[in-house]
Each structure stands twice: as structure tokens, then as C-alpha cells.
Amino acid sequence: MSEPPADAETFLAATDTIAALRPELNLLEAGILAGLHLGLASDSRSFARVFGVEHALVLRAVEALAGAALLTVTARDARTQRTRYEASQAGSAMLTALAA
């Protein structure tokens, strides 16, 4: 049987931990990383839909994370602007620290 998706408490705890590790990130950016770490969303549209956030705000946060070298953009739909992403090497190292 597969593992159930993370609950709200787990997501918020991961977001808070990421925000504490990287205080320069805002809570949306930390939340995107937490969602990726917990397997909740790996693209901008899914994150926006799951968490009820405007897609444009998520896109800006994804760009900020890519600029900070914590995410790597892997694909972008020209029509919808859905942006798929994964943790960069630096992002993966930080997210690995969450599991410890």
C-alpha cells in the first residue's frame, strides 16, 4: 500500500522548518519546497490548486526559488504557464536535512 499524502500539520511543520533554515525565503517559497519534499506538488498549477493560491503568485515564487538555486525548472507550458520543477542540488541537500 502506498503512503498517504501528508496532512496539513506535517506540511505546516515542514514549511516552518524550511523557513527557519532559510530565513530569506517567504512562507510561499518555503511552502513550495515543503510541498515538493512531501510529494504534494511538483508543478505550479498543482500547487496553486491544492493550496488555493493564485497561480501568478506561485509562478513568481518558483522563479525566486530558481534564482536562489533551490529549484530547477524542468518544463514550462507556453499556453498555461504551468511550470514543472524539481529540487536543485542545493535544494535537495536542504530538503534532505528535513528528513534527518
Side-chain angles (χ1 to χ4, degrees):
M1 186 187 301
S2 65
E3 192 173 309
D7 61 15
E9 191 173 303
T10 302
F11 171 75
L12 291 173
T15 300
D16 289 344
T17 301
I18 291 167
L21 289 170
R22 299 294 296 259
E24 74 276 11
L25 300 179
N26 66 41
L27 284 178
L28 179 56
E29 294 164 351
I32 289 170
L33 290 169
L36 182 63
H37 173 68
L38 297 170
L40 299 174
S42 61
D43 71 81
S44 59
R45 281 267 183 220
S46 295
F47 187 90
R49 186 183 72 250
V50 168
F51 294 101
V53 179
E54 291 294 325
H55 187 231
L57 295 175
V58 177
L59 287 172
R60 280 188 223 134
V62 167
E63 289 304 316
L65 290 167
L70 294 171
L71 284 184
T72 301
V73 172
T74 58
R76 187 176 315 229
D77 184 291
R79 187 179 62 80
T80 66
Q81 294 300 303
R82 178 184 294 244
T83 302
R84 299 186 189 286
Y85 50 82
E86 60 187 30
S88 66
Q89 189 172 13
S92 291
M94 184 190 60
L95 294 176
T96 301
L98 288 177

